[in-house]
Amino acid sequence: MDSLATTGAKVVAAICIKPGPLFERIDQGVWKPNDVGEWQDVITALVRRYSVERDLVTYWEIGNETDIGEDGGSPYLIPIRPIMRRTTT
């Protein structure tokens, strides 16, 4: 991260981790953490460290290609249709 910062690049960081204590099993279909508050603490700590204290990351993304899952490089496979139904009704 520090090497990137020296170039002056604007860094986009994709959070593609699934800490074992927060997810019941390794499975791309399991995308909701079992403790949302703890997950928020992990994300807050990452953002604080790399965007507030060190000003290294400009933009953040949770997952990457979440509609593709592990085949697309994301540990999450989030079903789009149920989410769309909830947001459009």
Side-chain angles (χ1 to χ4, degrees):
M1 296 296 277
D2 291 325
S3 297
L4 287 172
T6 62
T7 69
K10 300 291 184 189
V11 177
V12 177
I15 300 172
C16 293
I17 59 171
K18 287 174 108 173
L22 296 178
F23 292 87
E24 61 189 55
R25 66 184 183 279
I26 298 172
D27 179 341
Q28 68 179 6
V30 176
W31 55 275
K32 293 180 184 176
N34 55 34
D35 184 334
V36 173
E38 186 68 26
W39 177 246
Q40 290 171 332
D41 291 345
V42 169
I43 301 305
T44 299
L46 281 170
V47 172
R48 184 180 302 117
R49 178 173 182 169
Y50 293 108
S51 291
V52 177
E53 295 171 0
R54 300 174 71 195
D55 195 28
L56 299 176
V57 177
T58 305
Y59 303 101
W60 291 89
E61 165 183 58
I62 305 283
N64 179 40
E65 301 293 344
T66 57
D67 59 328
I68 299 172
E70 290 179 353
D71 292 338
S74 176
Y76 314 102
L77 180 59
I78 301 174
I80 299 301
R81 293 196 191 282
I83 292 173
M84 287 175 60
R85 257 181 272 152
R86 277 183 268 164
T87 59
T88 59
T89 56

